[in-house]
């Protein structure tokens, strides 16, 4: 159920579910939620890369591309304005 909420938020932000970084962001969010202490982002990339058999830089690049895509579609700005109203 929590994955469903995360996925819905990402879609509302303009990140398409068929983008590779989409699933990586969901995985990263779940890792952060499970950790009791602050986790370095590079550690998160490494954890995901082992799970999906990709490189750390590949995971980082996919996440960055997904966020960049949403930003370019201007969804992040409109989403934040909508939530404040």
């Amino acid at each position: 159920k929590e994955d469903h909420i995360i996925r819905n938020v990402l879609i509302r932000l303009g990140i398409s579910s068929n983008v590779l970084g989409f699933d990586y962001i969901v995985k990263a969010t779940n890792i952060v939620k499970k950790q009791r202490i602050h986790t370095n982002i590079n550690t998160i990339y490494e954890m995901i890369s082992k799970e999906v058999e990709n490189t750390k830089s590949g995971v980082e690049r996919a996440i960055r591309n997904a966020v960049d895509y949403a930003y370019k579609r201007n969804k992040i700005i409109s989403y934040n304005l909508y939530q404040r109203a």
Side-chain angles (χ1 to χ4, degrees), residues 46-58:
E46 187 173 341
M47 293 168 76
I48 295 170
S49 71
K50 288 179 182 176
E51 182 180 336
V52 299
E53 297 180 4
N54 195 348
T55 63
K56 248 183 1 179
S57 63

Side-chain angles (χ1 to χ4, degrees), residues 11-72:
I11 290 169
R12 288 180 65 188
L13 288 172
I15 301 174
S16 179
S17 62
N18 65 340
V19 173
L20 182 60
F22 183 92
D23 288 330
Y24 293 172
I25 294 170
V26 173
K27 290 178 187 303
T29 304
N30 286 326
I31 290 170
V32 170
K33 285 183 351 187
K34 290 178 186 175
Q35 300 298 317
R36 298 269 185 223
I37 58 173
H38 175 71
T39 305
N40 182 302
I41 191 67
N42 288 317
T43 303
I44 294 171
Y45 293 153
E46 187 173 341
M47 293 168 76
I48 295 170
S49 71
K50 288 179 182 176
E51 182 180 336
V52 299
E53 297 180 4
N54 195 348
T55 63
K56 248 183 1 179
S57 63
V59 170
E60 186 270 337
R61 185 171 40 253
I63 290 173
R64 186 170 18 94
N65 287 338
V67 172
D68 188 50
Y69 177 78
Y71 181 78
K72 286 179 179 173

